Amino acid sequence: MSDAAGAGAAEAISRARELLARALRVVVFTGAGVSAESGVPTFRGAGGLWKSFKPEDLATPEAFGRDPRLVWEWYAWRRDLVARCRPNAAHLALARWALSRPGVTLVSQNVDDLHERAAREVAGDAEAARRAGPVRLHGSLFHDQCTRCAWRGPARAVDASTVAALPHCPECGGLARPDVVWFGEMLPVRTVEAAFAAAAEAEACLVVGTTGAVYPAAALVHTARAAGARVVVVDPGPTEYDEVADVRIYGPAGDAVPAILA
Ligand code: OAD
């Protein structure tokens, strides 16, 4: 980084810090990039999951209907991968910040559990961690739902033999599926309402590690902005929000987020 770029970055960090400190209500919107430094692959860009796998084979209700075993194998692999990862400095800084001041709503598109684990690490108790969020727009890798009845719950461990036999609902014995939102599916209504209500009231919106390409989730930032929120975007690459950002910080979340929220 040149001196000029370094000075520009330092100025952007300090503007972001001031803007966020002044706001009484803040909505934080995270995507796959916040977990990249923990070792969780993103979806788009170099090394992204959608470079090696096709969403229509693995992340649609039709794909699950056609070949549930293939879909379960992919989710079992992702669960195992995420279970080995740890929250990084960005998750921890966000958890510390959300727990230490009122008016912060954390909304995530991620299905990993790294925001929760960071909150538990910082708060030391599960109830406080639950209050720190996040509001999950795309579901959870570690929860299942039944395809036949209304059961939803924490996922039981899946290994090669459970995947071979396919996981089943503990209540009715129907086929279980990961409790995530697939392409072509509706987002959970109450969750969307909570997230967009927070965006509509926010005075500032901190966006971390998302291309902002997947709707309706991506509209959260535009909702916040239309309601008057100032927008801070942290991402090392280009995003759909670059033109609307009041402060744009090009860099990895693990460096920039702790610096902004310090
Ligand atoms: P993407 O893969 O589209 O974008 C990841 C973003 O993270 C990119 O803008 C990268 O530049 C950025 N990034 C990479 N490394 C980073 C780092 N160390 N720090 C900060 N940012 C970094 O992921 P999302 O925008 O989250 O949906 O994708 C949105 C949705 O598309 C996902 O929730 C998923 C996917 O299909 C569903 O599964 C429904």
Side-chain angles (χ1 to χ4, degrees), residues 25 27 105 107 190-202 220 223-224 227:
R25 280 180 293 272
V27 65
T105 305
V107 179
R190 290 236 182 96
T191 309
V192 171
E193 282 171 1
F196 279 76
E201 289 191 340
L220 189 94
T223 299

Side-chain angles (χ1 to χ4, degrees), residues 31-33 37 42-44 50 109 138 181 183 209-211 214 235-236 253:
E37 288 155 87
T42 61
F43 293 94
R44 296 165 189 82
W50 297 149
Q109 300 165 93
H138 290 162
V181 176
F183 287 95
T210 174
T211 45
V214 174
D235 197 301

Side-chain angles (χ1 to χ4, degrees), residues 80-169:
D80 190 50
L81 188 156
V82 170
R84 292 164 200 269
C85 295
R86 288 180 45 79
N88 65 48
H91 297 110
L92 290 167
L94 285 167
R96 220 170 274 125
W97 196 58
L99 285 161
S100 69
R101 52 168 277 176
V104 176
T105 305
L106 175 58
V107 179
S108 187
Q109 300 165 93
N110 297 347
V111 296
D112 68 46
D113 61 348
L114 295 174
H115 282 306
E116 282 94 337
R117 280 201 259 153
R120 275 202 300 275
E121 212 170 290
V122 169
D125 88 89
E127 177 49 29
R130 200 189 53 74
R131 284 201 312 275
V135 178
R136 304 179 149 282
L137 291 177
H138 290 162
S140 159
L141 199 50
F142 295 100
H143 287 78
D144 289 346
Q145 58 174 289
C146 180
T147 56
R148 194 158 70 191
C149 75
W151 178 81
R152 294 184 124 97
R156 285 163 300 169
V158 281
D159 56 21
S161 67
T162 8
V163 169
L166 294 175
H168 284 82
C169 173

